[in-house]
Amino acid sequence: MKPWGRYLIGGVLGVVFGVGVAVQSVRGGALGGNVAFGPWQTGADFGTADAGALTRAVVALRGLLALPAHEARYYNAAVDDAGRTLDGKCRYRIAGGDLPAQWWSLTLYTADGYLAGNGPFSIESAALPASEQRNWQVTVAPTRQPGHWLPTAGLDRFQLTLRTYLPDNDGKAAADRSVLPTITREACA
């Protein structure tokens, strides 16, 4: 084989491999500068002018991180407190208290980043009675549950996004693990 043919084949393979890795990184939501707090992850550069190209690409694809950091802080979880992948056939208890923000919402998404099932899709702090604001629980399960419930629609995998709006520290730093909700697997079908 002539040298130009080897160069051409090598170049094409390099481009295909590079594009494949880039697409997988963006679709997988692998954000640069991730910070983990138990099962919750947030990015160091979300909603800032310093956001890198990878963070901007993930935001453009998934649209989950659209507000500037001083307006909202985002936390994503794809695993429970024990590090197990969130399974749509299992029942989970999400338990939390006061969060360092004016209000918050918890939304369930498919592993691909879409809303799951027929709703409800989200629970927000404004919908909780005053008696539950400091100590709240949400059940995540495939079938209807008493109290606050988010349906998994029996998905193989799902993820949770916790949004804290108007964060206390103007979004300059992530919340401490001690104030973020716990995600406990209770049972599986």
Side-chain angles (χ1 to χ4, degrees):
M1 181 179 283
K2 300 206 181 238
W4 63 267
R6 287 193 300 267
Y7 294 137
L8 179 64
I9 291 170
V12 168
L13 288 175
V15 167
V16 167
F17 179 75
V19 167
V21 168
V23 166
Q24 185 63 28
S25 294
V26 171
R27 288 189 183 217
L31 298 169
N34 264 4
V35 181
F37 300 93
W40 299 102
Q41 292 190 2
T42 190
D45 60 354
F46 290 175
T48 69
D50 298 328
L54 182 56
T55 298
R56 291 175 189 265
V58 172
V59 169
L61 177 68
R62 299 176 82 184
L64 297 175
L65 312 167
L67 296 173
H70 70 276
E71 291 182 21
R73 190 80 190 186
Y74 301 87
Y75 302 90
N76 298 303
V79 298
D80 64 14
D81 282 355
R84 296 174 294 217
T85 301
L86 295 175
D87 183 337
K89 294 168 189 66
C90 298
R91 183 179 70 237
Y92 296 88
R93 181 176 30 87
I94 316 301
D98 280 334
L99 290 171
Q102 295 298 309
W103 65 284
W104 56 265
S105 68
L106 178 69
T107 308
L108 188 141
Y109 292 96
T110 66
D112 295 332
Y114 297 101
L115 292 171
N118 292 324
F121 303 112
S122 184
I123 302 288
E124 62 179 46
S125 60
L128 298 177
S131 61
E132 294 182 34
Q133 292 290 329
R134 295 190 192 287
N135 187 16
W136 53 269
Q137 289 188 24
V138 173
T139 303
V140 175
T143 58
R144 180 80 173 117
Q145 302 290 309
H148 307 294
W149 166 67
L150 290 175
T152 65
L155 297 166
D156 289 332
R157 294 179 300 128
F158 68 91
Q159 57 188 328
L160 297 167
T161 297
L162 174 69
R163 293 172 178 85
T164 57
Y165 296 96
L166 300 175
D168 290 351
N169 60 13
D170 219 18
K172 293 180 182 153
D176 184 79
R177 172 62 182 130
S178 65
V179 299
L180 291 173
T182 59
I183 304 172
T184 306
R185 182 189 287 186
E186 294 184 327
C188 290

